[in-house]
């Protein structure tokens, strides 16, 4: 509502220039259509689908499926075929032969498969939360791009109107100079002011093109929502459900599961079962003696060798804990700034609206005074500049308030 009030005030102020100039002073132009039917949520979803980091989600999903397949398997590693041939040809050459064959299968250690299953479950959970966190991150980028676009579009519109006011004033001064009512110096002063306002339009137009390109570069869209204002969330703070915090906690849980799995694994020395046959004879005159072969291999000890792998997994866990603590501090700081900014915005907007009302009255009186010859052109231009600055500030303050509401919603974890 305050945004509409400020817009209405600006329209009253610029009543002397009912139509802003449509002239563009720079050939470069980035087209962007503002669509009333397009919502903020739709833009966020479209941006998320094409966002580079979203490709990570499929990779993490594949990893989670692979971990699930590992924990669902009855064997704990690579099976192998075993073949051994022994004879005495190089020594006695009596024809003694011993042949062993077998199929060796790695098996799970006690509790190792459950630890592997825990890793798979945490990987699946963290992947789902990662998708939600990336979508929330994208929401913040889209919000920032849209409100930056709204700010520069507003500045450009006001700059055009101010330029139109200056152009009309120059034409008025020209007529008064022609009839001898004003000096030639006043015309030069008016033309100089008009050129200054024209430069401001050129700069504002450039900022609009930059903002449009930034928006389309982020969203990959040539349309933008015309309406994207938000209501402030009733949440007073963030909690564990915040997308970024939720995925940070999930990654900690996964890292803890990885530590437990590493601790229960004997790196490079998995228990195994070998089932096979054994065939042997003493000399060439003897027949083969055929037997079955069963071997159970169980690693014992080796904690010293496995300790570096456990320590490495603990480093990852510690890093996850550190990342979560840093994130908490960042969120706490951002929340404090968001709340404070909203309080400042509301107070500043109230002041700016009153300044705008005063400026509009002063401008009307000063214009009448200039037309009747009560004040000089230079004094009128000073009053006009002050009034225009006040109106620009009021219009911008209303936009900043709406932008900071969106920032607050982003900080507390609201995704449109």
């Amino acid at each position: 509502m305050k945004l509409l009030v400020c817009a209405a005030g600006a329209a009253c102020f610029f009543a002397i220039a009912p139509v802003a100039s449509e002239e563009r002073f720079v050939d470069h132009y980035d087209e962007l259509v503002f669509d009333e039917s397009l919502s903020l949520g739709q833009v966020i979803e479209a941006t998320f689908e094409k966002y580079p980091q979203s490709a990570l989600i499929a990779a993490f999903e594949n990893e989670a499926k692979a971990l699930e397949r590992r924990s669902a398997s009855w064997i704990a590693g690579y099976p192998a075929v075993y073949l051994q041939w022994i004879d005495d040809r190089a020594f006695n050459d009596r024809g003694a032969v011993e042949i062993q064959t077998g199929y060796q299968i790695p098996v799970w250690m006690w509790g190792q498969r459950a630890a592997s299953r825990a890793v798979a479950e945490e990987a699946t959970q963290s992947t789902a939360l990662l998708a939600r966190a990336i979508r929330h991150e994208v929401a913040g980028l889209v919000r920032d791009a849209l409100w930056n676009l709204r700010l520069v579009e507003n500045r450009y519109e006001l700059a055009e109107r101010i330029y139109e006011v200056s152009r009309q004033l120059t034409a008025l001064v020209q007529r008064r100079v022609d009839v001898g009512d004003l000096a030639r110096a006043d015309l030069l002063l008016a033309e100089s002011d008009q050129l200054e306002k024209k430069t401001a339009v050129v700069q504002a137009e450039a900022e609009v093109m930059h903002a449009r390109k930034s928006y389309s570069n982020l969203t990959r869209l040539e349309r933008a929502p015309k309406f994207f204002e938000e209501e402030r969330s009733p949440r007073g703070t963030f909690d564990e459900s915040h997308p970024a915090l939720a995925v940070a906690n999930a990654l900690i849980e996964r890292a803890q599961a990885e530590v437990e799995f590493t601790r229960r694994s004997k790196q490079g020395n998995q228990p195994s079962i070998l089932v096979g046959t054994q065939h042997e004879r003493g000399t060439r005159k003897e027949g083969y003696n055929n037997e079955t072969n069963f071997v159970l291999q169980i690693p014992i000890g080796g904690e010293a060798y496995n300790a570096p792998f456990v320590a490495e997994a603990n480093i990852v866990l510690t890093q996850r804990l550190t990342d979560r603590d840093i994130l908490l501090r960042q969120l706490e700081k951002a929340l404090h700034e968001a709340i404070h900014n909203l309080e400042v915005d509301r107070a500043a907007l109230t002041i700016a609206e009153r300044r705008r009302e005063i400026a509009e009255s002063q401008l009307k009186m000063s214009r009448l005074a200039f037309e009747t010859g009560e004040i000089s052109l230079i004094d009128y231009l000073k009053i006009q500049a002050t009034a225009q600055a006040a109106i620009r500030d009021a219009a911008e303050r209303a936009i900043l308030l709406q932008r900071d509401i969106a920032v607050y919603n982003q900080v507390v974890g609201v995704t449109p």
Side-chain angles (χ1 to χ4, degrees):
M1 178 60 70
K2 289 185 176 180
L3 185 60
L4 294 176
V5 170
C6 287
C12 291
F13 170 65
F14 292 114
I16 57 175
V19 178
S21 173
E22 297 296 331
E23 179 184 2
R24 292 198 300 269
F25 302 111
V26 179
D27 291 336
H28 178 83
Y29 185 75
D30 295 306
E31 183 69 34
L32 185 65
V33 178
F34 291 90
D35 191 344
E36 295 184 3
S37 64
L38 187 62
S39 69
L40 175 60
Q42 290 173 327
V43 174
I44 291 172
E45 192 61 32
T47 305
F48 171 70
E49 292 175 358
K50 299 177 182 179
Y51 193 59
Q53 278 189 280
S54 62
L56 291 173
I57 299 173
F60 281 116
E61 288 176 346
N62 290 335
E63 183 199 27
K65 292 176 182 178
L67 290 170
E68 179 61 32
R69 288 197 301 270
R70 181 183 70 178
S71 61
S73 175
W74 288 99
I75 62 176
Y78 295 102
V81 175
Y82 176 78
L83 175 63
Q84 180 174 321
W85 173 285
I86 302 174
D87 63 31
D88 64 350
R89 184 174 303 175
F91 297 97
N92 298 329
D93 196 22
R94 295 177 180 176
V97 176
E98 181 178 339
I99 304 172
Q100 291 184 358
T101 64
Y103 187 65
Q104 188 173 16
I105 305 172
V107 296
W108 295 103
M109 295 186 70
W110 183 261
Q112 187 184 18
R113 190 181 184 191
S116 176
R117 187 177 295 110
V119 172
E121 291 172 353
E122 295 299 339
T124 301
Q125 177 70 9
S126 63
T127 299
L129 292 173
L130 176 64
R132 182 167 164 255
I134 294 177
R135 185 179 283 103
H136 184 68
E137 178 184 342
V138 168
L141 295 174
V142 171
R143 281 165 163 156
D144 184 66
L146 283 172
W147 282 110
N148 182 56
L149 186 59
R150 174 67 64 81
L151 278 170
V152 296
E153 291 274 3
N154 177 72
R155 290 169 186 167
Y156 175 59
E157 180 182 347
L158 291 179
E160 278 192 313
R161 290 181 176 272
I162 289 172
Y163 170 69
E164 183 65 17
V165 169
S166 180
R167 192 186 64 79
Q168 292 179 10
L169 178 62
T170 301
L172 174 63
V173 172
Q174 176 70 64
R175 290 193 297 271
R176 292 182 63 179
V177 169
D178 292 341
V179 298
D181 190 30
L182 291 176
R184 180 76 179 173
D186 287 327
L187 178 59
L188 295 177
L189 181 61
E191 289 176 345
S192 177
D193 178 73
Q194 181 182 343
L195 290 174
E196 181 183 344
K197 300 303 191 296
K198 184 175 182 179
T199 301
V201 173
V202 172
Q203 293 174 342
E205 182 181 319
E207 292 301 319
V208 169
M209 296 304 109
H210 293 160
R212 288 184 178 185
K213 186 61 179 178
S214 296
Y215 170 82
S216 61
N217 180 264
L218 170 66
T219 63
R220 322 309 286 181
L221 298 174
E222 299 301 327
R223 296 182 303 143
K226 188 172 183 178
F227 307 107
F228 48 87
E229 293 79 3
E230 301 178 46
E231 295 291 335
R232 179 177 173 176
S233 170
R235 298 181 187 178
T237 184
F238 60 88
D239 54 25
E240 299 293 321
S241 66
H242 189 286
L245 193 55
V247 73
N249 288 328
L251 290 174
I252 289 173
E253 295 293 333
R254 174 175 175 174
Q256 289 173 334
E258 291 279 9
V259 170
E260 182 62 22
F261 176 72
T262 306
R263 183 178 288 113
R264 291 184 176 275
S265 301
K266 300 293 183 180
Q267 303 298 326
N269 196 12
Q270 193 74 24
S272 64
I273 295 175
L274 184 143
V275 179
T277 62
Q278 180 168 314
H279 312 275
E280 58 183 348
R281 70 182 183 186
T283 65
R284 292 184 180 89
K285 297 179 180 181
E286 299 177 5
Y288 281 95
N289 184 28
N290 300 315
E291 303 165 335
T292 58
N293 191 16
F294 180 84
V295 179
L296 175 63
Q297 179 180 328
I298 301 176
I300 298 175
E303 284 76 11
Y305 178 79
N306 198 46
F309 298 98
V310 176
E312 185 178 354
N314 268 309
I315 289 175
V316 175
L317 172 59
T318 304
Q319 184 62 56
R320 297 300 188 192
L321 290 167
T322 302
D323 292 342
R324 196 264 309 273
D325 291 343
I326 292 174
L327 175 62
L328 280 170
R329 294 189 180 195
Q330 291 174 339
L331 288 174
E332 288 171 358
K333 179 182 177 182
L335 179 62
H336 175 269
E337 291 178 353
I339 294 173
H340 184 245
N341 286 341
L342 285 175
E343 294 174 351
V344 171
D345 288 340
R346 291 192 176 93
L349 180 58
T350 300
I351 297 171
E353 287 176 343
R354 179 54 184 157
R355 285 185 61 212
R356 172 184 55 77
E357 294 171 359
I358 295 172
E360 289 175 355
S361 299
Q362 287 179 329
L363 187 60
K364 291 176 182 178
M365 291 187 295
S366 63
R367 183 174 179 83
L368 181 60
F370 170 67
E371 291 176 350
T372 57
E374 296 179 12
I375 62 173
S376 65
L377 176 61
I378 190 170
D379 290 333
Y380 173 63
L381 290 176
K382 290 178 181 179
I383 296 171
Q384 184 186 71
T386 302
Q388 290 169 347
I391 290 183
R392 278 197 305 265
D393 183 60
E396 191 156 307
R397 287 291 176 184
I399 296 174
L400 289 175
L401 175 59
Q402 291 296 322
R403 183 200 66 181
D404 288 339
I405 289 175
V407 171
Y408 176 85
N409 291 344
Q410 178 73 19
V411 172
V412 297
V414 175
T415 305

